[in-house]
Amino acid sequence: MRKTTLTVFALTATLIGTAHAQDRAGWPTVINFGLIPTEGSSAAEERFKPLFDYVEKSMGVPVKAYVGADYAAVILAMQNKKLDIGYFGPKSYIEAADRAGAVALVKDNAIKGGTGYNSILISKAGGPIKTVADAKGMDFAFVDPNSTSGYLVPLSHFLLEMKVKPEEYFKRVTFAGSHENVVLGVANGTIPVGATNNLDLDRAVEKGAVKKSDLNILWTSKVIPSGPIAVRKDLPASFQNALKAALLKFNDAKGLEQLQLTSYVAAADSDYDPIRDLNKVTQAAKK
């Protein structure tokens, strides 16, 4: 009887193990997790480390971080299957969805703003630029051509609302590469006027890099949908479902605080249709 019982247990364990292996068929052996460069690479990796550790433990797969040199590098890395998942802004997400088959799983639910945030234009406090009109003829910095709050939304403001072209309105237009670079450049006086967003400004303030009193906010956009964590659609459904479930359960207090989030909430590709529409209208206005 004991031998029969042990045999049944062994068979059951084998079947469970086989089923588990089948559920994980096609999963990556290392999860390559990409981040758009909103700040320096070491700072970004440190900020996301609690999340990486949690995903690694939850999924049972090592996580390797990748911070792109620019937004396009992260999109291209996913397109070339060098990345499995990535944290994107709304515009970089729609580009990644189109070019790399990215599928939004969850999106930020921020401590300030919930599932939305705002693009802002900033200048140095105490200087001559107190309004957008004052900035005419000065140097201006966007963040990156694939940034939502650091390019698309302020560009649409110039083209569709102010009816001006940035390259004609400003003396010189550049791309600073990251939100942090814009914030620090404006605060230090090397960038007269720049585009960023309220969350990255708050992050720079919390890090002690700048004080809010160092800057003027010249313009604030309407609410933009928060950025998603997205996965390559060619990865197994079992992997995508397990990852989404894990992210929705992420509740590490310190980790969430570092990310300035209360949680992640479910995201859908259609959440970013307004950004697609805005991109089309803005691109048409550029011509």
Side-chain angles (χ1 to χ4, degrees):
M1 180 68 179
R2 178 175 174 79
K3 182 177 180 180
T4 302
T5 301
L6 290 173
T7 301
V8 170
F9 283 163
L11 179 59
T12 301
T14 299
L15 291 173
I16 291 173
T18 301
H20 181 67
Q22 289 173 343
D23 287 344
R24 297 170 69 91
W27 282 32
T29 55
V30 174
I31 297 173
N32 292 293
F33 197 135
L35 303 173
I36 54 174
T38 57
E39 58 191 318
S41 59
S42 59
E45 287 190 40
E46 182 63 26
R47 188 161 57 87
F48 275 85
K49 189 176 186 306
L51 178 65
F52 293 156
D53 291 344
Y54 167 79
V55 170
E56 185 169 299
K57 183 177 179 181
S58 299
M59 301 292 286
V61 181
V63 172
K64 183 178 179 181
Y66 168 75
V67 182
D70 54 26
Y71 287 50
V74 181
I75 298 167
L76 182 62
M78 181 171 277
Q79 183 178 356
N80 291 335
K81 302 187 189 304
K82 302 294 185 181
L83 293 180
D84 305 300
I85 59 180
Y87 171 70
F88 295 99
K91 185 177 186 297
S92 52
Y93 166 70
I94 64 172
E95 297 290 341
D98 181 52
R99 292 167 47 193
V103 177
L105 295 181
V106 299
K107 58 186 176 183
D108 292 349
N109 185 20
I111 295 170
K112 297 179 182 179
T115 56
Y117 68 117
N118 305 92
S119 173
I120 56 176
L121 300 179
I122 58 174
S123 67
K124 184 177 177 63
I129 304 172
K130 297 178 174 61
T131 67
V132 177
D134 295 335
K136 186 175 182 179
M138 307 294 283
D139 288 351
F140 180 87
F142 288 115
V143 172
D144 183 282
N146 285 305
S147 172
T148 313
S149 60
Y151 181 65
L152 175 62
V153 172
L155 177 63
S156 71
H157 173 65
F158 294 135
L159 295 175
L160 305 177
E161 297 175 23
M162 292 181 62
K163 307 296 183 183
V164 299
K165 293 184 177 181
E167 62 272 19
E168 297 173 357
Y169 191 78
F170 299 107
K171 180 180 179 181
R172 184 173 65 121
V173 176
T174 60
F175 290 97
S178 73
H179 288 278
E180 185 175 65
N181 286 348
V182 170
V183 172
L184 294 179
V186 172
N188 294 333
T190 57
I191 297 174
V193 189
T196 184
N197 65 66
N198 61 311
L199 297 180
D200 280 296
L201 174 56
D202 288 344
R203 186 170 296 124
V205 170
E206 290 182 12
K207 287 166 62 175
V210 298
K211 297 177 182 177
K212 259 198 173 167
S213 58
D214 293 338
L215 303 164
N216 297 318
I217 296 178
L218 310 178
W219 169 82
T220 301
S221 75
K222 295 179 181 178
V223 175
I224 304 166
S226 60
I229 291 178
V231 65
R232 284 202 340 261
K233 68 179 180 181
D234 62 315
L235 289 168
S238 60
F239 176 80
Q240 297 184 40
N241 293 336
L243 178 61
K244 182 173 184 176
L247 291 169
L248 289 172
K249 292 177 182 177
F250 181 58
N251 62 359
D252 178 85
K254 181 181 177 182
L256 288 168
E257 183 180 4
Q258 286 186 191
L259 295 167
Q260 297 183 337
L261 304 178
T262 61
S263 65
Y264 287 108
V265 297
D269 181 78
S270 59
D271 293 343
Y272 303 96
D273 285 345
I275 302 302
R276 291 183 172 95
D277 294 339
L278 182 63
N279 192 42
K280 289 176 184 177
V281 172
T282 303
Q283 292 305 314
K286 284 178 64 178
K287 297 178 180 178

